[in-house]
């Protein structure tokens, strides 16, 4: 296990007049519904525990009202937590005074918003350079650095436009450029692409993945869209009614949804396009033969190989060319099938995943 | 059953006593502090005298040029510039130049004072619901109480003259700018403010970098209304000794001079229209980059 970069421990958020009082009731075991009925307080987030690795994308997914926006705002304290602990790179965020918090927001983490949050009275370049201006950096330097990021998100030539003159997709590129210009290590993205058309959304995801390859930021990405989560996330946490009900990598979430709520999310997913062969492969044995196949191949691509080479078995190799497993056509077809409700219920007790998946995943990462 | 027939009121004597106590109390107060207050307002008086004199003694073509220039800077519209110049030419031609300059002087001074006091109060109000809750009823009273009522204490304290007149105008004209500053700041988009916070802006950076610029169109609507209300007080102010277009109107009322009343009244209307169009255009121009996406 890698040391986690952001740790959230036993984090609670209660909305209402007297959060402390309500918190005491929750500590004594009061449930969300009862709390709302008796005291009028909303238990927004309940006992959140989440460890995030450095340089990875942590997705938080959930339906509307599940507490995603609240959770991401607790990290930079745009919303004050009621109880719990947030550690970022070893520093206790909740213990920070106003000045330390500003320093954290200026240098360590930046944010991208669902409805872009651009300043309508500032031009694109002024928006992009906002974070540096707040830090008191000189205009020349701001211009230089802002221009570089505007170019990097493909908006050269629009420096002196105003946000209202740009399309939604372009505005969110500005939002991204603004967040990147401060060189903060951590990027908080609250449904950053949800307001965009599907086509533009995919395009923005490509831009983000492309940037991430190069920049290796630690990204917290909120979404309600599973396709997006699977595409972008190195790790996914699923939030329901203010509680995290499953945290895992995308492959495991697809293969082993923890309950029917999660399984419901997966229902419309094209599994063949998301699942990769290392998730389904079996341990090597003496009978294994067939063409080599990279472990990160998707099932859809694998199917193509099976068809073209008219084989019924392949050898799975990792990035270094070492053989790490085998995959038969039967395994592949089995993997495409969605787990049924009975299977999920059956699995509820056993949380451990098969050894082959664990070893394969770690040899890839 | 006399309880239900006669309203249970104070006796005549008690009522008289009550009024007399209040009156005497206030009179004593004004005797005690009247001079201190007058001294306090003396710089303001000197400024008013200086401004009025400047406007009256300056050669008329220069005044018209300056007005045309202001109109251009505010509105960027040739029609409005030419219209303003023509209005002032007509006013001068009809013999109302001097009174108009006096009125212009007191309106400008009142507007500046209202901006200087009203915007900070509006900012304070926008920062806390408590303060808003306290100030809003005060503004309501200022706007609805008949202006003659507060003329009485003002005159008792400061006598008759420019300063009490200016105060009366300011009391009446202040509320809109306070209200609209407060409203403008409160209407700033929440996500935009969150963005400022998320990048580590401090309170002042947030106020002057984001809230004030985005509230500016509303603040300007407030300035516009403040000017309009100040103009509407011109006649009442002239009752307590403010020179200007109000005086001939008062004379016209008591002597039934129809033409005199009409001309001076129309001059006030002309000023109002010019101020209104110029500040409205300015407000629209400030809004240019914001309105497009909604
Ligand atoms: N200021 C508040 N006062 C009371 N309740 C609140 C407040 N803010 C959020 N909530 C409640 O907390 C819950 C979580 O809200 P949150 O905005 O985090 O949801 P979300 O997952 O981001 O939803 P969406 O997808 O709609 O953005 C909701 O039930 C909401 O009603
Ligand atoms: Mg949200």
């Amino acid at each position: 296990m890698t040391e986690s970069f952001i740790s959230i421990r036993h984090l609670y958020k209660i909305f209402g007049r007297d959060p402390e009082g309500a918190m005491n009731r929750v500590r004594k075991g009061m449930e969300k519904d009862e709390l709302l009925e008796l005291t009028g307080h909303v238990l927004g987030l309940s006992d959140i525990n989440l460890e995030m690795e450095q340089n990875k994308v942590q997705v938080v997914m959930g339906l509307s009202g599940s507490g995603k926006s609240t959770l991401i705002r607790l990290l930079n304290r745009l919303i004050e937590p009621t109880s719990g602990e947030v550690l970022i790179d070893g520093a206790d965020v909740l213990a920070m005074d106003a000045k330390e918090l500003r320093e954290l927001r200026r240098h360590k983490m930046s944010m991208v918003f669902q409805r872009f949050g651009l300043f309508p009275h500032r031009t694109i370049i002024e928006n992009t350079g906002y974070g540096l201006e707040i830090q008191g950096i000189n205009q020349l330097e701001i211009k230089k650095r802002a221009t570089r990021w505007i170019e990097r998100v493909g908006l050269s030539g629009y420096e002196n436009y105003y946000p209202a003159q740009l399309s939604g997709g372009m505005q969110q590129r500005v939002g991204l450029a603004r967040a990147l210009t401060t060189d903060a290590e951590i990027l908080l993205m609250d449904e950053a692409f949800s307001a965009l058309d599907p086509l533009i959304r995919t395009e923005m995801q490509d831009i983000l993945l492309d940037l991430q390859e190069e920049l290796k930021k630690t990204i917290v990405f909120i979404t309600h869209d599973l396709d997006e989560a699977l595409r972008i996330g190195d790790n996914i946490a699923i939030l329901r009614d203010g509680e995290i009900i499953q945290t895992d990598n995308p492959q495991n979430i697809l293969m082993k949804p923890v309950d029917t709520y999660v399984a419901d999310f997966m229902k419309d997913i094209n599994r063949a396009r998301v699942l990769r062969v290392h998730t389904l492969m079996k341990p090597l044995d003496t009978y294994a033969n067939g063409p080599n196949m990279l472990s990160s191949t998707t099932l859809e691509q694998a199917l193509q190989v099976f068809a073209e080479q008219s084989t019924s078995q392949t050898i799975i190799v990792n990035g270094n060319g070492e053989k790490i497993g085998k995959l038969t056509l039967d395994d592949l077809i089995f993997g495409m099938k969605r787990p049924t409700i009975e299977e999920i219920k059956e699995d509820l007790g056993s949380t451990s995943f098969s050894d082959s998946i664990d070893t394969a995943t770690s040899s890839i990462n | 059953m006399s309880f239900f027939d006669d309203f249970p009121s104070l006796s005549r004597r008690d009522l008289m006593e009550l009024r007399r106590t209040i009156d005497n109390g206030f009179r004593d107060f004004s005797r005690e502090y009247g001079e201190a207050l007058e001294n306090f307002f003396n710089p303001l008086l000197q400024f008013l005298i200086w401004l009025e004199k400047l406007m009256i003694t300056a050669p008329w073509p220069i005044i018209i040029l300056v007005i045309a220039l202001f109109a251009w800077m505010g509105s960027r519209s040739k029609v409005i510039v030419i219209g303003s110049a023509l209005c002032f030419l007509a006013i001068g031609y009809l013999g109302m130049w001097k009174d108009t300059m006096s009125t212009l002087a007191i309106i400008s001074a009142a507007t500046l004072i209202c901006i200087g006091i009203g915007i900070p109060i509006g900012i304070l109000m926008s920062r806390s619901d408590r303060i808003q809750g306290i100030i809003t009823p005060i503004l309501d009273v200022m706007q609805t109480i008949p202006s003659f009522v507060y003329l009485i204490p003002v005159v008792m304290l400061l006598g008759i003259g420019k300063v009490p007149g200016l105060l009366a105008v300011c009391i009446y004209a202040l509320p809109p700018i306070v209200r609209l500053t407060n409203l403008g700041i409160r209407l700033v988009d929440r996500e935009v403010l969150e963005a400022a916070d998320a990048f580590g802006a401090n309170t002042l950076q947030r106020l002057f970098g984001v809230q004030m610029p985005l509230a500016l169109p509303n603040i300007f609507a407030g300035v516009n209304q403040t000017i309009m209300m100040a103009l509407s007080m011109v006649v009442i102010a002239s009752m307590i000794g403010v020179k200007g277009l109000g005086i001939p109107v008062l004379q016209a009322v008591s002597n039934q001079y129809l033409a005199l009343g009409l001309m001076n009244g129309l001059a006030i209307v002309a000023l109002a229209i010019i101020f209104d169009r110029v500040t409205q255009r300015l407000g629209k121009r400030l809004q240019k980059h914001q309105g497009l996406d909604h």
Side-chain angles (χ1 to χ4, degrees):
Chain A
M1 266 308 280
T2 336
E3 258 298 278
S4 60
F5 191 56
I6 303 179
S7 297
I8 301 177
R9 291 178 195 153
H10 304 298
L11 199 65
Y12 287 83
K13 174 65 193 178
I14 297 176
F15 294 103
R17 290 181 146 267
D18 174 26
E20 293 301 327
M23 189 63 222
N24 283 333
R25 292 177 187 240
V26 171
R27 282 205 189 93
K28 285 183 193 129
M30 193 178 272
E31 297 284 330
K32 182 179 172 131
D33 297 332
E34 202 185 346
L35 185 76
L36 183 63
E37 198 152 306
L38 281 181
T39 69
H41 285 68
V42 178
L43 182 54
L45 287 175
S46 172
D47 198 17
I48 301 292
N49 291 284
L50 198 55
E51 304 289 325
M52 308 182 191
E53 281 177 51
Q54 193 165 19
N55 311 333
K56 290 282 162 63
V57 183
Q58 169 73 53
V59 166
V60 177
M61 195 178 72
L63 297 177
S64 192
S66 56
K68 309 183 294 291
S69 299
T70 310
L71 178 56
I72 203 167
R73 280 165 177 71
L74 295 184
L75 295 179
N76 59 358
R77 275 176 59 192
L78 283 180
I79 296 179
E80 287 292 336
T82 309
S83 164
E85 221 180 325
V86 176
L87 298 178
I88 291 181
D89 202 3
D92 183 354
V93 177
L94 302 195
M96 291 181 179
D97 61 24
K99 187 150 171 282
E100 289 170 317
L101 190 59
R102 273 204 300 277
E103 289 306 305
L104 178 86
R105 291 170 177 175
R106 285 180 185 182
H107 300 290
K108 194 89 178 173
M109 46 192 357
S110 55
M111 194 159 179
V112 184
F113 294 86
Q114 179 168 6
R115 289 181 303 117
F116 322 136
L118 299 180
F119 304 111
H121 61 300
R122 296 174 140 247
T123 61
I124 299 314
I125 191 158
E126 287 167 350
N127 263 287
T128 310
Y130 183 75
L132 300 181
E133 193 182 309
I134 289 298
Q135 296 171 24
I137 288 171
N138 73 61
Q139 285 298 324
L140 215 68
E141 172 81 8
I142 294 179
K143 194 167 169 209
K144 207 175 83 198
R145 287 168 67 178
T147 307
R148 195 174 74 225
W149 285 109
I150 289 175
E151 200 179 295
R152 189 68 182 75
V153 299
L155 282 180
S156 293
Y158 290 96
E159 286 85 351
N160 296 316
Y161 281 57
Y162 284 89
Q165 295 170 297
L166 268 49
S167 70
M170 290 160 98
Q171 289 189 39
Q172 196 56 303
R173 289 182 198 215
V174 179
L176 197 55
R178 178 176 65 177
L180 292 169
T181 303
T182 60
D183 290 327
E185 283 176 82
I186 301 170
L187 209 54
L188 306 176
M189 305 181 73
D190 184 9
E191 301 210 30
F193 305 150
S194 297
L196 305 173
D197 298 336
L199 224 58
I200 309 288
R201 192 188 301 184
T202 317
E203 195 181 303
M204 291 299 292
Q205 291 164 358
D206 289 338
I207 293 178
L208 182 68
L209 288 171
D210 192 38
L211 283 165
Q212 175 63 357
E213 192 130 311
E214 176 190 327
L215 302 172
K216 299 260 180 291
K217 303 259 180 195
T218 305
I219 301 180
V220 184
F221 192 98
I222 304 285
T223 180
H224 60 243
D225 176 4
L226 184 66
D227 274 313
E228 190 165 75
L230 294 169
R231 184 135 192 257
I232 289 185
D234 293 311
N235 203 39
I236 299 178
I238 297 180
L239 205 58
R240 178 181 61 194
D241 289 341
E243 288 179 56
I244 289 185
I245 50 174
Q246 186 170 13
T247 320
D248 217 323
N249 65 46
Q251 302 288 311
N252 284 347
I253 293 228
L254 263 188
M255 291 306 288
K256 302 265 173 183
V258 76
D259 63 11
T260 48
Y261 175 83
V262 182
D264 253 4
F265 259 122
M266 317 289 159
K267 160 165 114 239
D268 302 321
I269 287 296
N270 182 347
R271 297 167 68 85
R273 199 167 283 172
V274 181
L275 284 176
R276 296 173 191 277
V277 292
H278 66 73
T279 311
L280 298 178
M281 69 187 182
K282 293 279 159 60
L284 275 176
D285 56 32
T286 42
Y287 310 107
N289 62 50
N292 285 356
M293 182 180 279
L294 211 56
S295 59
S296 60
T297 313
T298 63
L299 300 194
E300 193 173 47
Q301 292 162 335
L303 207 57
Q304 198 68 26
V305 174
F306 277 106
E308 274 168 10
Q309 314 220 354
S310 54
T311 174
S312 65
Q313 210 180 98
T314 58
I315 306 290
I316 309 300
V317 296
N318 66 14
N320 302 329
E322 296 157 25
K323 298 180 179 184
I324 55 172
K326 67 165 189 174
L327 182 75
T328 65
L329 194 53
D330 286 343
D331 295 335
L332 192 150
I333 290 168
F334 176 76
M336 303 261 254
K337 176 179 144 307
R338 276 194 296 274
T340 62
I341 290 175
E342 287 72 36
E343 282 167 333
I344 294 165
K345 284 187 178 144
E346 207 169 284
D347 276 347
L348 275 180
S350 66
T351 41
S352 69
F353 299 100
S354 76
D355 287 344
S356 66
I357 291 176
D358 273 355
T359 44
T361 323
S362 55
S363 69
I364 288 157
N365 289 343
Chain B
M1 291 307 277
S2 71
F3 179 80
F4 290 102
D5 294 334
D6 293 318
F7 201 94
S9 63
L10 276 176
S11 71
R12 265 182 113 90
R13 162 120 33 89
D14 289 346
L15 201 58
M16 191 108 88
E17 200 59 33
L18 176 68
R19 287 203 307 249
R20 191 170 294 147
T21 327
I22 294 176
D23 287 355
N24 287 341
F26 194 74
R27 199 162 291 137
D28 291 346
F29 173 80
S30 62
R31 263 198 214 114
E32 190 92 356
Y33 297 102
E35 202 171 316
L37 272 174
E38 253 168 63
N39 289 339
F40 175 76
F41 285 117
N42 195 39
L44 187 61
L45 180 64
Q46 296 310 319
F47 170 72
L48 267 178
I49 292 173
W50 171 81
L51 185 66
E52 191 177 344
K53 205 162 158 197
L54 177 78
M55 294 185 70
I56 291 175
T57 51
W60 64 267
I62 290 189
I63 295 281
I64 292 192
L65 261 179
V66 169
I67 283 167
L69 190 71
F70 272 124
W72 174 251
M73 290 194 321
S75 69
R76 297 287 150 86
S77 144
K78 276 186 205 135
V79 179
I80 291 180
V81 171
I82 293 169
S84 317
L86 284 180
C87 276
F88 273 83
L89 284 173
I91 282 171
Y93 190 67
L94 294 173
M96 297 181 288
W97 184 263
K98 217 176 132 192
D99 284 339
T100 305
M101 289 304 113
S102 299
T103 294
L104 221 47
I106 195 159
I107 297 300
S108 313
T111 307
L112 287 179
I113 291 172
C114 286
I115 290 174
I117 296 175
I119 290 182
I121 296 179
I123 292 173
L124 274 182
M125 263 174 97
S126 72
R127 300 186 64 80
S128 126
D129 287 339
R130 277 256 305 275
I131 299 182
Q132 179 178 251
I134 294 169
I135 295 183
T136 306
I138 300 179
L139 295 180
D140 291 340
V141 170
M142 283 165 74
Q143 265 183 317
T144 48
I145 198 169
S147 19
F148 289 105
V149 175
Y150 59 76
L151 283 186
I152 304 165
V154 169
V155 171
M156 279 171 80
L157 272 178
L158 295 164
I160 277 184
K162 286 191 198 329
V163 170
L166 185 66
L167 281 189
V169 173
C170 284
I171 291 173
Y172 187 66
L174 187 65
I177 184 135
V178 177
R179 279 187 212 278
L180 281 155
T181 302
N182 174 37
L183 181 76
I185 292 178
R186 281 175 184 266
L187 282 181
V188 172
D189 185 52
R190 207 177 62 99
E191 212 179 53
V192 171
L193 283 181
E194 265 193 334
D197 286 338
F199 283 93
N202 60 31
T203 313
L204 287 184
Q205 287 171 327
R206 199 171 117 123
L207 180 64
F208 292 111
V210 182
Q211 291 175 303
M212 288 298 281
L214 290 177
L216 219 50
N218 273 311
I219 294 178
F220 254 86
V223 172
N224 172 292
Q225 284 192 32
T226 289
I227 297 176
M228 293 303 111
M229 294 181 69
L231 270 170
S232 71
M233 277 291 280
V234 163
V235 177
I236 290 175
S238 68
M239 293 172 67
I240 54 171
V242 176
K243 281 191 251 166
L245 292 167
I247 298 227
V249 173
L250 280 183
Q251 284 171 358
V253 171
S254 47
N255 299 318
Q256 303 183 356
Y257 297 148
L258 176 63
L260 182 73
L262 220 51
M263 278 196 299
N264 284 277
L266 286 177
I268 295 176
V269 171
L271 287 186
I273 292 176
I274 293 170
F275 274 124
D276 181 57
R277 291 303 126 88
V278 172
T279 48
Q280 262 190 20
R281 288 286 181 117
L282 187 58
K284 279 221 184 80
R285 276 200 297 132
L286 290 172
Q287 216 162 4
K288 195 175 67 189
H289 305 300
Q290 299 178 27
L292 293 180
D293 56 345
H294 300 302

